[in-house]
Amino acid sequence: MSIDGGSRRTPATVRVRGERLVLLPDRALYRPSAKMLVVADPHFGKGQLFRERGIPVPKGTTADDLHRLSCLIDRLRPDALLFLGDLFHGRVDTPGPLVRRIDRWRGRHAALRILLATGNHDRGTGGLAAAFRLDGTAEAHADGPFSFTHQPAPDPPGYNIAGHLHPAVVLKGKGRLRETLACFRIGPRSALLPAFGVFTGTQIIPPRRGDRIFVIAGDEVLAVPPVNK
Amino acid sequence: MTKTMRPEIPANDAYASALAAVERWFTERGWKPFDFQQEAWAAWRAGESGLIHAPTGIGKTHAAWFGPVMAWLAGDRPGGAAPPLRVLWITPLRALAADTRDALQTAAEDLAVPWTVECRTGDTASSVRERQKKRLPAALVTTPESLNLLLSYPGARKRFAGLQSVVVDEWHELMGAKRGVLAELALSRLRRWRPDLRIWGLSATLGNTEAAMAVLLGGAAAAGRLVRGQVPKSLVIESILPSETERFPWAGHLGLKLLPQVLERVAAAESALLFTNTRSQTEIWYQAILKARPEWRERIALHHGSLDRGGRAAVEAGLREGRLRGVVCTASLDLGVDFMPVDLVVQIGSPKGIARLMQRAGRSGHRPGRTSRIFCVPTHALELIEVAAARRAAAAGRVEPRDPVVLPLDVLAQYLVTVALGDGFEPEAMFCEVRDTRAFRELDRRDFDWVLEFVSTGGASLSAYPEYRKIARKPDGRYGATDQRVAARHRMSVGTIVSDAAIPVKFLGGRRLGTIEERFASRLRPGDVFVFAGRRLEFIRIRDTTLWVRRSRSAKGPIPQWLGGRMPLSTRLAAGVRDELDRAARGRFESPELAAVRPILALQARWSVIPGKGELLIESCRSRDGHHLFVFPFEGRLVNEGIGALTAYRLTQTAPMTLAIAANDYGFELLSDREIPLSPFQDAGIFNTEDLLSDILASVNTSEMGRRQFREISRIAGLVFQGYPGRRKSSRQTQTSASLLYNVFARYEPENRLLKQATAEVLSAQLEFRRLSASLERMAGAERRLVDTGQFTPLAFPIMVNRLRTRISSEKLEARVRRMQLSLERKADR
C-alpha cells in the first residue's frame, strides 16, 4: 500500500536505528512499524487566544489543523497518535466551543490511542488537554529505539525525537534564489520535527555536520544536500 | 470655519498696545518683524486659520506664537491669570519639544504673559502626566501620538474646552506620512469641539504648499490663508572633489577618500554639521574623524536615532552652547533649526531630494538674508551627477511636493479605538467627523463600517468572532472601552512609527547606550567586537532582552546595519539626473561635478552607452551569479523596483523561471540562473500599459512587496504588539510575526481589507501607480538601446552589489528547491 494513500503529496522516508520513518508534507511523522503518527507543536486554540486578547486574527486555523489531522488518520490508519507537546497555545477564557469541537473530533477517532509528551505551553492550559481523552501523558515516551520529548533532551536514553523549536532552514541558489522553509532535522542521535499548526511561526536553526535536512516544499518533502563544512 | 463665530475682539487700542509691546520685543533684540509675521498675527486676530511657509529659520515660530500671546495682552483673558489650555503646539519630534517649550516660555515671560508652557511627550514624567490629566497648562507642546493619547482618556472634551489655537510645527515632515493622518484625525475632533478653533501650520516651502494647507485644515480648508515668508535666503551648493590627479574609482564606494578635504573645512569652521544618509555611515565617519584628529575627541560627537536619548540631548546641548565643533548626524538633526545654527554644513552621500538638501543647507547662515551653504561629499562617483542636478533644480525652484496619505484604514482602526477609550463616540457623528479630514474625505460608509466591525466584533461580518472584544457598543448606542487590559495595551501601541525589532545595548555597569536591531545582535557571539555610539564594544551576552557589552581595546569591528530609512531619490531629482546625463551624452560637461565624473562616463560610453533624452538603456551580461539584465528608467528606487517587479512578472508569464529583482535610484536588475529572453524588450511590449493594474497587482502579490507592507499595517492596526517596555514576558503568548499573520490572513480571510490595504499601499506609496504608468509610457515610447556589455558597467555595478532583493517566480517551489543549497545563517522568525 502506498504510504500516502495515492494522494499527490509526496513524503520522504529515512531509516533511523533500523526503523523506517516517513516524513509527511503535512508536517508530521509516521512510524509504520509501530503504526504511530507523531505530531509536534499543533498549538490548538491559538487563534482564539489572540482574539480574546483583542487581536482579530481569522477563524479557522484550529478547525483546519484538526481536519488535516483527520485526513492523515483516515489515510494512514495509525493505532496511536503521539503529540510532542504544545498541544494548546494557552488558557482561553471561553473554552466551551473549543472543548466541544475536540470532543466531536475525538468521537470520530474513538479507537485511536492518543499520547502526549508535555511541553512548555501545556502547563496552565486549564485542563484543555482532557478533551482529547488522552491515553497517556508524560514528559518523555520511550518506544522502541526512540525517546520522544517536547524539548530536545540533552542526554536521552535512546534516539531522541522532539519538537519545540519549530525548525526551518534557509536555502540559497544561483541567481540569488532564496527560501526559508520549515524542515525535519534528522541527526545521528536526535531528530527535530516541524511545528504542525498552521498558525505557528518558524525559527531558523543552524544545520550541523552529519544532519540530514528535509524541507517541506509545497506538497513535497525534499532532502537538501548536506552542509560541507 | 465662519469668521463671524470667532470670539469678539477687544477694543482696538488694547490690541495696538499689545502689538507695540511685541514690536518693542523685536527691537530690543535688534530685529524687526517681517511682513509675513505681521500678516500672520493679523490673520490670527481675524480668527483665521492657515499655513505659514518659509525657509528654515526665519521666524515662523514667532509668527505663530505671538497671535495668541497678543490676544491675551489685549485683554482676551477668560480663566484669569492662569488660564486652562489655550494653545496646543504639535511638533513631529519629541526631541524638539523641550527646546520649543523653552522658546515659547521665554517669549511669553519677556512680554509678562503669565502662562505656563509644558511638554507632553513620551518622555514626560508620569507625575507630570498625572497632573496634566487634572489640568492642562496654558500652552502644551506635544506630538501627534501624545495628542492621540490625550484623546484616549475620558474627560478629553472638557480638558480642551478653552482651546483657542493649534499650531502644527514642521507640518511638511508630518504630511505625507501616517503620523500626519494621526494629527489630521485629532484636529477633526478638536474642530468639532471648538468650531472657532484657529489652526496654523508651519512648513518649509514645498512644491505643493496649497495642498499642504488643505490637508492640515481638512473641512475648514476653504477659508484658509497661505502666509508666505518672503525672505529668500541665497543658497550655495558645492561639491568637495578629489584633487585633479586623483581619479574616482569607477565602481564601488569612495569611502573616506575625501576625509582630508572635509577635515580641512571642519577645522576652519566654528561649528559644523556633517549629515549622512544612514546611521552606519554616521558611525563610520565619526570613527574616521577621531582617528585622524584624536585631539578633537572632546569636541566632536555623533547623533543618530538609535542612540540613547540622554546621549542625544547632551550632543544637542553641546552644539547649542558651542562646546562642540562638529557633529556627525543623520536626519535626526534635520529639524530644530531654530535652536542650533552652525557655520558649516556638509552632506555626505547622495542628497536624495532637493527640499531635503535645502533644509539641511538652511542650518548654516541661519539668519534672515544670509547665505546658506552646503558642501556635498560624494560617496560614489555617480552621486556627483545628483549634486549637479540638485543645484540646477534648486536654482529653478523645483522643490518636491509631498503627497498626502489617503484612506489609511489601519490608522482609522487605531483612532476609533483611541476615541472609544476616551469619551466614546456615536457612529453616525464619527463618520462625519473623520470625513472632515482630507485623508478620509472620500471614505466609503461601507469601509467605515467594516473598520468599526473590525475593532468591535473583529471584522469578517459573516463569521464574527464571539470571543473577540476590543471596544463595544454600549446600551446608549455609543462605542466605548470594554476591557482595561485591552485599553492599557492600546495606549502602549498608539502611533504609526514601525521600527525593526531592536534591543537595548547596555554597559555591564548599567549605562544605556542605545538600541541595535535584533538581526544584527543575533549574529554576535560572546567576545565579538562591534562599533556603536562611537565606541568599540565587546559583546558579553544577551540577557533580559538586553545586549550587555563592555569597552574593547580591539582596533576593528563591524558596524551595525540598520534597515529602513533608505530614502529613494525624489522624482524631481531623478528627472534632473536624466537631464544631466543627456547633456553629458551630447558632450556637455558644464559643472565641476560633471567634469569630475567625466572619465567614468567615458568608460560607460565605451562599454555601453550614456542614455540621452528619449533613450532607454538596457544592458545584459553574464557572471558566476547567473544572467543579468539591467534596465535604467531613472525614476527613483521605489518606481524602479515597481517596474522591475512588473517586468519580471510579465517575463515569468512567458516561460517558467525565477527572477531576483534589485533596484536603485537609476535602474533595476533582473537576475536568473537561466537565460533571460531579450525579445520582449526589443519591441517594448513588456512595457505596455495594457492590463497594467492587474499585472501590477499580480506582481505585488507574487513578490514579497505586499508582505513587506503588511508589516507596518499589522502593527498600526494593533495586530502585532511590540510589547510593554520591560514587561515583554507577560505578553509573549500573543507575540507573533507579521509575516505569519500575513499567511494566516491570506489563507483564511483573503477578503480582509487590511490585506487589500497592503496591496493598495504598495500601489500608491511604494509603486506610485500614476507615476509608474507615466514612466512605462515614456519607456515604451523611448528608443531602446540594448547592449550586451560582457561586464558590469559603471551604471550597472551599484545595482548588482545591492543585496536586498525581491523575487518573482512562475516555477513550482519544489522545482526551485531542487536547485538550492542550505545556507548557514541563523535568524529568529517566530
Side-chain angles (χ1 to χ4, degrees):
Chain A
M1 181 199 81
S2 153
I3 280 299
D4 211 39
S7 113
R8 63 194 166 78
R9 296 171 80 83
T10 316
T13 52
V14 288
R15 285 204 89 80
V16 173
R17 301 281 158 104
E19 252 200 52
R20 197 163 63 99
L21 300 179
V22 184
L23 315 179
L24 300 160
D26 262 306
R27 303 199 269 188
L29 176 138
Y30 186 59
R31 288 177 64 202
S33 66
K35 300 196 87 175
M36 176 187 266
L37 182 62
V38 187
V39 164
D41 301 284
H43 290 260
F44 292 121
K46 182 172 174 184
Q48 177 180 341
L49 193 139
F50 269 59
R51 291 188 290 276
E52 287 178 351
R53 301 285 191 279
I55 303 168
V57 299
K59 288 180 75 136
T61 53
T62 293
D64 196 18
D65 285 338
L66 286 169
H67 175 71
R68 286 193 305 128
L69 203 48
S70 285
C71 290
L72 284 175
I73 293 164
D74 293 348
R75 210 162 68 212
L76 300 164
R77 310 227 163 263
D79 293 338
L81 167 62
L82 169 59
F83 287 117
L84 290 191
D86 288 2
L87 191 53
F88 292 94
H89 190 65
R91 181 200 289 267
V92 292
D93 295 344
T94 322
L98 182 60
V99 166
R100 280 194 294 279
R101 180 188 293 277
I102 291 168
D103 191 63
R104 274 199 307 279
W105 180 89
R106 186 58 164 118
R108 275 198 58 201
H109 309 289
L112 190 67
R113 279 181 70 229
I114 303 185
L115 306 166
L116 170 67
T118 45
N120 49 318
H121 278 258
D122 296 314
R123 289 182 283 276
T125 56
L128 275 174
F132 277 100
R133 282 170 258 150
L134 297 170
D135 297 289
T137 305
E139 289 270 322
H141 287 271
D143 196 329
F146 303 117
S147 158
F148 294 96
T149 54
H150 170 62
Q151 298 198 21
D155 194 14
Y159 184 94
N160 181 228
I161 296 179
H164 181 61
L165 290 177
H166 302 205
V169 285
V170 176
L171 298 182
K172 287 184 174 173
K174 204 175 157 186
R176 310 240 177 163
L177 292 174
R178 185 198 163 93
E179 291 289 342
T180 304
L181 298 170
C183 70
F184 294 88
R185 182 176 82 182
I186 313 293
R189 276 191 297 277
S190 63
L192 276 181
L193 304 193
F196 179 78
V198 287
F199 189 17
T200 57
T202 56
Q203 177 168 250
I204 293 167
I205 51 157
R208 302 168 310 192
R209 198 209 304 248
D211 283 343
R212 283 177 290 171
I213 302 285
F214 295 84
V215 295
I216 292 143
D219 289 332
E220 293 187 42
V221 174
L222 294 173
V224 290
V227 193
N228 33 1
K229 181 190 163 187
Chain B
M1 182 164 89
T2 51
K3 286 170 200 170
T4 48
M5 289 175 69
R6 70 192 152 79
E8 70 269 32
I9 300 172
N12 272 339
D13 46 347
Y15 184 77
S17 75
L19 186 59
V22 166
E23 281 170 347
R24 222 164 25 246
W25 184 87
F26 272 78
T27 314
E28 282 161 15
R29 278 152 192 81
W31 305 339
K32 197 173 152 311
F34 290 114
D35 289 349
F36 84 93
Q37 290 171 322
Q38 307 257 22
E39 182 188 350
W41 300 336
W44 194 94
R45 182 163 184 252
E48 293 181 32
S49 292
L51 183 80
I52 304 168
H53 69 107
T56 46
I58 67 157
K60 285 185 297 235
T61 304
H62 295 143
W65 180 233
F66 286 141
V69 164
M70 280 192 283
W72 169 274
L73 286 174
D76 172 18
R77 299 177 184 187
L85 185 69
R86 283 168 73 103
V87 183
L88 191 61
W89 194 284
I90 301 173
T91 170
L93 274 183
R94 60 185 181 190
L96 279 182
D99 285 331
T100 306
R101 191 210 78 89
D102 291 348
L104 302 183
Q105 180 82 74
T106 306
E109 276 167 16
D110 289 345
L111 289 161
V113 173
W115 289 359
T116 47
V117 186
E118 289 179 2
C119 294
R120 188 192 175 96
T121 68
D123 299 340
T124 307
S126 58
S127 57
V128 176
R129 268 185 276 174
E130 275 309 306
R131 195 182 70 224
Q132 289 173 348
K133 232 189 245 181
K134 292 189 197 87
R135 186 186 170 82
L136 288 169
L140 185 71
V141 182
T142 189
T143 60
E145 290 78 13
S146 289
L147 174 56
N148 267 259
L149 271 175
L150 277 173
L151 297 178
S152 81
Y153 290 100
R157 181 172 191 159
K158 237 179 95 198
R159 249 172 255 127
F160 288 100
L163 188 66
Q164 223 176 12
S165 63
V166 180
V167 178
V168 187
D169 209 345
E170 315 270 12
W171 175 236
H172 58 279
E173 277 295 318
L174 290 171
M175 189 178 84
K178 287 181 181 174
R179 299 185 70 204
V181 179
L182 279 184
E184 281 182 65
L185 285 164
L187 287 175
S188 74
R189 184 120 268 239
L190 296 176
R191 266 201 312 274
R192 172 153 294 230
W193 290 342
R194 306 280 304 155
D196 53 355
L197 187 67
R198 297 155 165 99
I199 297 170
W200 284 90
L202 310 183
S203 169
T205 302
L206 293 171
N208 58 340
T209 318
E210 291 270 353
M213 181 172 79
V215 174
L216 177 72
L217 300 184
R225 175 188 291 265
L226 210 51
V227 176
R228 188 190 160 152
Q230 68 280 58
V231 200
K233 278 201 296 191
S234 55
L235 168 68
V236 177
I237 299 170
E238 282 180 50
S239 291
I240 294 182
L241 299 172
S243 58
E244 280 189 40
T245 49
E246 205 178 349
R247 278 270 224 81
F248 267 106
W250 71 268
H253 278 258
L254 208 49
L256 297 158
K257 269 226 169 82
L258 294 169
L259 181 68
Q261 284 99 314
V262 172
L263 286 177
E264 247 171 63
R265 285 186 170 76
V266 173
E270 289 276 313
S271 58
L273 283 179
L274 294 92
F275 284 101
T276 68
N277 289 332
T278 66
R279 283 166 262 189
S280 312
Q281 279 289 318
T282 307
E283 299 272 357
I284 292 167
W285 276 79
Y286 177 74
Q287 290 296 327
I289 295 173
L290 269 192
K291 197 167 164 214
R293 301 282 173 108
E295 69 274 18
W296 287 359
R297 178 165 287 279
E298 301 300 318
R299 303 216 51 208
I300 65 161
L302 85 171
H303 191 287
H304 63 71
S306 290
L307 298 179
D308 192 50
R309 183 164 44 81
R312 290 203 313 255
V315 171
E316 287 158 24
L319 200 53
R320 207 174 308 127
E321 292 154 16
R323 274 185 284 112
L324 292 172
R325 71 175 316 137
V327 177
V328 190
C329 58
T330 59
S332 60
L333 273 185
D334 259 349
L335 306 178
V337 282
D338 287 353
F339 313 107
M340 289 172 259
V342 295
D343 51 36
L344 173 70
V345 178
V346 176
Q347 164 69 37
I348 295 163
S350 163
K352 300 292 188 188
I354 297 144
R356 180 170 145 116
L357 193 67
M358 288 169 74
Q359 167 102 347
R360 290 183 171 180
R363 304 299 303 267
S364 71
H366 191 260
R367 281 281 175 276
R370 290 237 332 242
T371 298
S372 295
R373 187 182 292 268
I374 188 162
F375 290 95
C376 295
V377 182
T379 49
H380 67 78
L382 298 176
E383 279 172 357
L384 283 171
I385 306 173
E386 295 173 24
V387 176
R391 182 189 302 117
R392 203 183 292 274
R398 286 197 300 270
V399 182
E400 295 89 358
R402 282 273 167 106
D403 293 321
V405 179
V406 177
L407 292 174
L409 296 186
D410 52 343
V411 181
L412 183 61
Q414 184 185 95
Y415 179 72
L416 288 184
V417 177
T418 299
V419 174
L421 301 183
D423 292 341
F425 62 86
E426 193 276 311
E428 286 302 320
M430 197 64 195
F431 178 61
C432 295
E433 194 177 304
V434 299
R435 281 190 18 136
D436 202 38
T437 62
R438 178 59 196 264
F440 295 105
R441 187 174 63 180
E442 280 160 29
L443 179 67
D444 192 278
R445 182 63 201 236
R446 279 167 305 188
D447 285 339
F448 177 81
D449 287 340
W450 184 87
V451 174
L452 193 53
E453 285 275 293
F454 180 73
V455 293
S456 52
T457 64
S461 47
L462 292 175
S463 58
Y465 313 137
E467 64 274 14
Y468 175 79
R469 43 171 195 254
K470 192 157 206 162
I471 61 172
R473 194 163 197 163
K474 301 285 168 68
D476 64 355
R478 295 174 70 80
Y479 279 82
T482 52
D483 184 324
Q484 279 317 302
R485 253 189 326 182
V486 171
R489 213 183 71 147
H490 179 78
R491 291 194 181 104
M492 295 299 308
S493 8
V494 163
T496 61
I497 301 170
V498 178
S499 51
D500 280 288
I503 75 170
V505 180
K506 281 188 188 169
F507 278 130
L508 288 175
R511 195 174 142 215
R512 205 183 129 108
L513 289 167
T515 58
I516 63 171
E517 282 184 10
E518 266 183 16
R519 60 168 63 230
F520 180 79
S522 70
R523 293 203 186 112
L524 293 172
R525 283 159 218 282
D528 280 0
V529 173
F530 65 102
V531 175
F532 178 67
R535 295 172 173 86
R536 289 192 177 75
L537 304 169
E538 182 188 334
F539 170 58
I540 309 293
R541 68 176 87 88
I542 293 182
R543 209 175 59 201
D544 302 331
T545 60
T546 298
L547 192 136
W548 300 92
V549 296
R550 68 164 151 253
R551 260 176 236 278
S552 164
R553 298 202 184 283
S554 164
K556 266 202 148 109
I559 288 172
Q561 297 280 330
W562 287 269
L563 283 178
R566 288 201 319 149
M567 295 266 299
L569 207 61
S570 75
T571 324
R572 298 245 162 127
L573 197 48
V577 168
R578 264 201 319 267
D579 197 44
E580 296 292 331
L581 281 178
D582 178 63
R583 284 164 207 269
R586 287 183 283 121
R588 291 169 61 188
F589 296 86
E590 290 148 345
S591 59
E593 287 84 5
L594 266 288
V597 82
R598 187 169 187 166
I600 292 145
L601 291 179
L603 207 58
Q604 172 72 30
R606 183 137 38 96
W607 291 349
S608 173
V609 293
I610 299 172
K613 264 219 170 85
E615 289 183 332
L616 175 68
L617 174 61
I618 300 169
E619 297 179 351
S620 63
C621 73
R622 289 181 63 173
S623 79
R624 297 174 45 201
D625 280 341
H627 299 259
H628 306 253
L629 188 77
F630 297 91
V631 182
F632 297 95
F634 289 97
E635 291 284 359
R637 180 170 52 82
L638 296 182
V639 171
N640 287 343
E641 189 175 27
I643 298 175
L646 176 78
T647 312
Y649 173 75
R650 286 176 171 176
L651 276 176
T652 58
Q653 295 310 293
T654 63
M657 69 177 99
T658 302
L659 295 165
I661 308 150
N664 73 1
D665 288 321
Y666 300 164
F668 63 85
E669 176 198 0
L670 304 181
L671 172 62
S672 173
D673 57 341
R674 315 278 175 82
E675 188 152 355
I676 301 172
L678 288 177
S679 54
F681 294 90
Q682 268 139 9
D683 64 355
I686 197 132
F687 301 127
N688 75 41
T689 48
E690 239 171 84
D691 298 324
L692 182 59
L693 186 60
S694 62
D695 281 0
I696 288 179
L697 282 172
S699 65
V700 166
N701 293 329
T702 334
S703 70
E704 292 125 43
M705 296 162 99
R707 182 179 296 263
R708 247 191 275 152
Q709 196 67 25
F710 187 70
R711 227 180 111 242
E712 173 184 312
I713 290 169
S714 58
R715 152 85 171 79
I716 296 172
L719 291 169
V720 175
F721 179 50
Q722 291 183 325
Y724 302 102
R727 271 178 55 194
R728 196 173 268 214
K729 278 176 188 142
S730 62
S731 59
R732 196 187 260 165
Q733 272 193 330
T734 47
Q735 295 268 324
T736 184
S737 73
S739 77
L740 174 57
L741 277 174
Y742 184 90
N743 292 344
V744 171
F745 272 104
R747 179 153 165 196
Y748 295 94
E749 207 180 306
E751 291 304 302
N752 186 291
R753 276 170 171 77
L754 293 181
L755 279 188
K756 293 190 168 166
Q757 189 191 333
T759 310
E761 276 184 14
V762 174
L763 284 183
S764 65
Q766 189 165 3
L767 299 187
E768 301 183 55
F769 183 74
R770 260 168 285 175
R771 190 175 152 193
L772 195 139
S773 168
S775 309
L776 280 174
E777 268 164 35
R778 190 176 60 74
M779 290 163 70
E783 186 191 332
R784 285 164 306 286
R785 306 284 304 263
L786 266 77
V787 188
D788 185 349
T789 57
Q791 59 198 314
F792 299 116
T793 64
L795 281 176
F797 187 82
I799 311 180
M800 193 275 294
V801 295
N802 191 343
R803 292 188 54 221
L804 198 68
R805 280 165 196 260
T806 174
R807 285 164 197 80
I808 284 188
S809 180
S810 54
E811 290 177 284
K812 288 195 75 173
L813 177 63
E814 296 88 316
R816 266 178 288 153
V817 165
R818 288 182 206 282
R819 303 201 301 275
M820 291 158 77
Q821 297 273 336
L822 268 183
S823 152
L824 290 170
E825 60 190 279
R826 302 182 307 161
K827 191 185 86 196
D829 177 37
R830 277 188 92 119

